[in-house]
Amino acid sequence: MAFPYLEAVVGFMIFMYFIETYLDLRQHTALKRPHLPKPLEGVVSQDKFEKSRAYSVDKSRFHFVHAAVTIIGDSAILLLRALPLLWQKSEVVVANLGLDPHNEIIHTLVFLAAVTLWSQLIDLPFSLYSTFVIEARHGFNKQTICLFLRDMVVGLGLSVLLGPPIVAAIIIIVQKGGPYLAIYLWAFMLILSLVMMSLYPILIAPLFNKFTPLPEGELRSKIENLASSLKFPLKKLFVIDGSTRSTHSNAYMYGFYKNKRIVIYDTLIQQVLTLLQFGGYTLVRNSKDLFESFGFQTQPVLVGLLIFQHTIMPIHHLVSFALNLVSRAFEFQADGFAKKLGYGAPLRAGLIKLQEENLSAMNTDPWYSAYHYSHPPLVERLSALDRSDEKED
């Protein structure tokens, strides 16, 4: 008797839904607390706290609905064998277009187009409600419906432009890779990631936002002096027009080796595929029972990748949790480094200011934040800075 892969996958999805819903309930309870956490008393105004609590509770309620609809939809798609049906229908579409239905690359591209359009349609109501109801209600949304639709069309256009050659390359590598398939796939994805990391900020990001050099002045001088003192190879400083879409604040850096750039939001003025995963995919690709369990009578390359992503969900959750722990540790180290440079007080003030202006959650559940957050909550970061003060004393 063949192993019930599909039922196991759906069962694990539902199990994780209940686990994460439990954590969401704990977080929702924490968000509804009517008082500030002690470390923030006298630091954050009551008015900001009330606004933050209302915003966080609104987002939390919306998340419950979105998560429930998502698990029902995803489970139904798998259990009703919607994907193999769509694969069969896409073959008919290819034939009706006068193309070769046996060409796996063309067949896959039509299948992907249908999946992408379906996903966009399902997610569109949630995106619209999140942007034009929740974000607007709390004073963050600056997008117009035209700008929202423009971004969506540009995103789909990029998928049409970049998707086919990438998908075609993956299919050819899998078909021709032989015993070294995992290595070839890993090398291709590594090169692709490096190329995209280099091209995204130069060619793709400007399609969505305007980047302008940070004007000469005190802020630019301070950033450049700090970078110079740390021997940080800063080449350019940009301001991004984030305020055309939202009043949320942020900043980030990018670049390789000696060509680093920093981007600051004008309101302020991470999927990795490993060699191990590809090694696992080679086993999945050769498992006829696995494909048949999901309703597929053939073994298309891209379908194999989709099934593989479902079957390694337990590993994905463990790895994501571990990466969050590492990321949080790095954040604490970065805060400690900033304090050693003499920026302890400005860092504290900046963290509090960001928390207030973005109406970020003031009260967080420790289990929820440990599982979901890649950055420590504000209270934990401030407490860590206080402990370092005590050690110095």
Side-chain angles (χ1 to χ4, degrees):
M1 181 178 178
F3 183 79
Y5 292 103
L6 173 61
E7 290 76 9
V9 165
V10 174
F12 183 78
M13 286 168 52
I14 295 173
F15 171 74
M16 288 307 304
Y17 166 74
F18 283 113
I19 293 293
E20 292 179 351
T21 298
Y22 170 70
L23 294 176
D24 292 338
L25 288 169
R26 288 179 60 96
Q27 175 70 353
H28 191 74
T29 301
L31 294 173
K32 293 173 68 177
R33 291 174 192 157
H35 51 77
L36 279 161
K38 286 187 177 180
L40 298 182
E41 290 179 354
V43 177
V44 175
S45 69
Q46 189 64 26
D47 178 62
K48 284 290 186 181
F49 170 66
E50 294 294 344
K51 291 180 178 179
S52 166
R53 185 174 64 157
Y55 178 51
S56 297
V57 169
D58 266 5
K59 290 197 300 178
S60 178
R61 288 171 178 157
F62 173 73
H63 172 73
F64 282 119
V65 176
H66 192 193
V69 172
T70 299
I71 187 62
I72 292 171
D74 289 349
S75 299
I77 286 172
L78 292 176
L79 292 174
L80 296 176
R81 308 299 202 273
L83 289 178
L85 178 62
L86 187 60
W87 179 260
Q88 294 170 10
K89 296 298 183 182
S90 62
E91 182 177 9
V92 175
V93 172
V94 172
N96 290 338
L97 292 174
L99 302 173
D100 181 7
H102 300 295
N103 186 309
E104 186 173 342
I105 293 176
I106 298 175
H107 190 172
T108 299
L109 291 175
V110 173
F111 172 76
L112 266 183
V115 170
T116 301
L117 288 175
W118 173 255
S119 299
Q120 289 281 347
L121 289 174
I122 292 298
D123 196 55
L124 183 58
F126 294 102
S127 297
L128 288 170
Y129 187 86
S130 175
T131 301
F132 294 101
V133 177
I134 295 180
E135 294 294 309
R137 178 186 298 159
H138 296 278
F140 287 117
N141 180 52
K142 297 298 180 183
Q143 283 193 87
T144 62
I145 189 67
C146 290
L147 183 57
F148 178 90
L149 294 175
R150 174 192 172 277
D151 285 349
M152 186 172 67
V153 171
V154 171
L156 288 173
L158 287 171
S159 297
V160 171
L161 181 66
L162 300 176
I166 294 173
V167 170
I170 291 174
I171 292 174
I172 291 172
I173 291 172
V174 172
Q175 291 175 340
K176 308 291 185 181
Y180 299 106
L181 164 64
I183 296 176
Y184 295 149
L185 270 179
W186 174 79
F188 172 73
M189 294 306 296
L190 175 63
I191 294 171
L192 178 64
S193 298
L194 294 175
V195 170
M196 291 304 296
M197 287 172 63
S198 300
L199 295 182
Y200 176 81
I202 299 172
L203 299 179
I204 299 177
L207 296 175
F208 298 93
N209 292 98
K210 181 180 179 181
F211 291 75
T212 56
L214 180 65
E216 296 293 338
E218 183 180 5
L219 178 59
R220 184 182 184 95
S221 297
K222 286 185 176 181
I223 294 174
E224 290 177 338
N225 290 338
L226 177 60
S228 178
S229 68
L230 298 174
K231 297 182 180 180
F232 181 84
L234 176 63
K235 294 297 181 183
K236 295 182 180 180
L237 272 168
F238 291 107
V239 178
I240 182 175
D241 64 336
S243 59
T244 60
R245 290 167 174 79
S246 172
T247 58
H248 285 296
S249 305
N250 208 343
Y252 64 90
M253 66 179 68
Y254 66 91
F256 291 107
Y257 192 45
K258 293 185 177 181
N259 185 31
K260 299 289 195 303
R261 303 180 181 191
I262 293 178
V263 176
I264 304 173
Y265 278 55
D266 58 358
T267 52
L268 178 63
I269 300 249
Q270 163 218 137
Q271 181 182 50
V272 178
L273 292 175
T274 64
L275 179 60
L276 176 61
Q277 286 179 312
F278 282 124
Y281 167 66
T282 60
L283 298 177
V284 169
R285 180 172 172 265
N286 294 320
S287 175
K288 183 180 179 181
D289 289 343
L290 181 58
F291 278 83
E292 290 181 348
S293 177
F294 280 80
F296 289 90
Q297 300 306 312
T298 57
Q299 297 173 256
V301 171
L302 188 87
V303 170
L305 285 171
L306 292 176
I307 293 175
F308 177 62
Q309 290 300 313
H310 282 297
T311 57
I312 65 164
M313 275 195 298
I315 298 175
H316 168 74
H317 283 284
L318 290 174
V319 170
S320 295
F321 177 66
L323 290 176
N324 279 346
L325 293 179
V326 172
S327 176
R328 288 159 68 98
F330 286 159
E331 287 297 319
F332 283 126
Q333 290 178 4
D335 290 350
F337 181 67
K339 190 173 184 302
K340 286 182 180 179
L341 293 175
Y343 293 99
L347 172 63
R348 178 187 294 271
L351 290 174
I352 294 171
K353 183 70 173 177
L354 279 174
Q355 192 85 358
E356 289 181 327
E357 295 305 314
N358 289 316
L359 298 183
S360 301
M362 305 291 177
N363 287 303
T364 56
D365 177 75
W367 290 13
Y368 178 91
S369 64
Y371 180 77
H372 284 288
Y373 287 6
S374 61
H375 287 53
L378 175 63
V379 171
E380 292 184 21
R381 296 179 75 172
L382 295 181
S383 297
L385 289 172
D386 291 339
R387 285 195 297 271
S388 64
D389 287 336
E390 294 172 359
K391 289 179 181 179
E392 290 180 3
D393 294 339

